[in-house]
């Protein structure tokens, strides 16, 4: 039996060379667990003029809003529409209420509590995920999020880190610093909140060494999860203009597979990997087109680890 398989069995990784979120959920709940995307319609300080009116260069007008939320303001209607969009071959399914679009802590705590509680009141909801920016996490909001930490609820705070490098954050027009991310992470972790960081690989100007430095820095932080995305170009974004002006080129398929595996080899083994690539519909994606073939990408990642005889955290 190979070193990789021995290692994965010991760490209960279901034969995978990395600690995958889907397997974690199955092991914990014994059933299929799906996320119901929610658009809280709270906007973003990087779009409403507080910090900027342009937003991040990779972000489209709808932000990361799911198509299932389009046309619905009411949270319960959004969740119902998302449920109906799933192709379900099994009857035993549970859901996580996922506040995904824009900055979902960009409001006073009492308003946020009403929204979160509304989502959690729906049947078969076993979890709460809240995506936001590091500069929208005041202490009172963290207190609110901490109140959802209990054994009966799968609660996660997702923070858009993207990179540890300040010049990259400036190029992306993030409107915050890495120090603000680190501060938010430390304050949230101190309250016992499960944290998942979003990271983009392939930011213009970042070389291999810089991306690996981000992996090494993440492994020093008190986080529980990470979402890895390749930088893809979406229609109607500033990044699309840069792409058409030949200001940069996105990572090629084989390069992304190699860089991603290098990155994961430098992540602590206890960190749960929620996502391994970006995801976008064909009608809104400009490039790279290989991002449309998720199954192919995931298979290539597993094959690369197998070829290396490697796994998450081997280089720590």
């Amino acid at each position: 039996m190979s070193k990789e398989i021995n290692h994965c069995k010991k760490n209960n990784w279901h034969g995978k060379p990395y600690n995958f979120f889907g397997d974690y959920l199955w092991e914990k709940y014994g059933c299929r667990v799906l996320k119901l995307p929610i658009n809280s319609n709270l906007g973003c300080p990087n779009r409403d003029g507080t910090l900027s009116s342009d937003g991040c260069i990779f972000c489209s007008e709808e932000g990361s809003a799911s198509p299932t939320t389009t046309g619905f303001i009411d949270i319960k209607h959004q969740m119902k529409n998302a449920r109906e969009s799933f192709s379900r071959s099994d009857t035993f399914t549970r859901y996580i209420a996922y506040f995904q679009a824009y900055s979902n802590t960009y409001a006073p705590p009492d308003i946020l509590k009403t929204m979160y509680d509304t989502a959690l009141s729906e049947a078969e909801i076993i979890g709460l995920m809240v995506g936001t920016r590091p500069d929208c996490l005041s202490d009172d909001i963290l207190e609110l999020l901490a109140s959802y930490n209990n054994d009966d609820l799968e609660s996660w705070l997702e923070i858009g880190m993207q990179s540890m490098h300040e010049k990259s954050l400036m190029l992306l027009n993030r409107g915050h610093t890495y120090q603000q991310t680190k501060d938010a992470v430390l304050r949230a972790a101190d309250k016992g909140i499960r944290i998942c960081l979003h990271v983009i690989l392939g930011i213009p100007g970042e070389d291999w060494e810089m991306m690996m430095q981000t992996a090494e820095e993440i492994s020093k932080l008190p986080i529980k999860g990470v979402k890895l995305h390749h930088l893809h170009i979406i229609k109607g974004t500033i990044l699309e203009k840069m792409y058409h002006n030949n200001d940069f080129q996105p990572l090629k398929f084989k390069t992304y597979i190699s860089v991603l595996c290098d990155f994961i080899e430098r992540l602590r083994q206890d960190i749960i990997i929620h996502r391994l690539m970006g995801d976008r519909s064909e009608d809104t994606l400009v490039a790279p087109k290989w991002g449309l073939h998720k199954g192919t990408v995931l298979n290539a990642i597993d094959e690369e680890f197998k070829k290396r005889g490697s796994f998450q955290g081997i280089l720590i």
Side-chain angles (χ1 to χ4, degrees), residues 105-113 141 144:
T105 58
Y106 192 39
D110 57 332
I111 293 177
L112 297 176
K113 186 177 190 312
I141 288 175
L144 171 64

Side-chain angles (χ1 to χ4, degrees), residues 88-157:
R88 294 172 59 176
S89 58
D90 52 348
T91 57
F92 188 51
T93 305
R94 293 294 179 264
Y95 301 97
I96 293 174
Y98 183 22
F99 286 83
Q100 179 181 20
Y102 301 113
S103 303
N104 295 284
T105 58
Y106 192 39
D110 57 332
I111 293 177
L112 297 176
K113 186 177 190 312
T114 298
M115 293 193 309
Y116 302 158
D117 289 349
T118 297
L120 291 173
S121 70
E122 288 291 284
E124 300 176 325
I125 300 297
I126 54 89
L128 173 69
M129 283 186 168
V130 178
T132 193
R133 296 166 51 88
D135 51 357
C136 292
L137 288 168
S138 61
D139 287 340
D140 54 353
I141 288 175
L142 289 177
E143 287 288 350
L144 171 64
L145 293 170
S147 72
Y148 294 99
N149 284 353
N150 60 69
D151 293 337
D152 298 324
L153 191 66
E154 187 69 32
S155 57
W156 286 86
L157 170 63

Side-chain angles (χ1 to χ4, degrees), residues 202 230-231 249-259 288 290:
H230 64 290
L231 184 66
Q249 288 294 319
L251 294 178
K252 296 184 182 302
F253 175 71
K254 289 185 178 180
T255 303
Y256 181 71
I257 299 303
S258 178
V259 167
W290 57 257

Side-chain angles (χ1 to χ4, degrees), residues 253 277 290-302:
F253 175 71
M277 60 176 290
W290 57 257
L292 295 171
H293 308 289
K294 188 173 183 178
T296 301
V297 177
L298 297 182
N299 287 336
I301 293 168
D302 289 345

Side-chain angles (χ1 to χ4, degrees), residues 1 4 7 32 35 54 66 70 100 133 204 224 238:
M1 187 176 289
E4 175 189 336
H7 182 86
R32 191 180 186 202
K35 287 181 281 189
D54 297 325
S66 167
T70 303
Q100 179 181 20
R133 296 166 51 88
K224 301 292 186 182
I238 297 172

Side-chain angles (χ1 to χ4, degrees), residues 34-88:
L34 303 174
K35 287 181 281 189
L36 300 178
I38 297 169
N39 183 353
S40 61
N41 293 289
L42 293 179
C44 176
N46 205 28
R47 281 188 169 277
D48 67 8
T50 302
L51 296 173
S52 169
S53 298
D54 297 325
C56 302
I57 65 172
F58 55 81
C59 189
S60 62
E61 284 298 324
E62 68 271 17
S64 56
S66 167
T68 61
T69 67
T70 303
F72 297 98
I73 298 296
D74 182 76
I75 287 174
K76 291 192 175 185
H77 278 97
Q78 291 183 35
M79 296 172 72
K80 179 176 181 291
N81 195 43
R83 268 196 185 100
E84 293 174 350
S85 72
F86 292 128
S87 174
R88 294 172 59 176

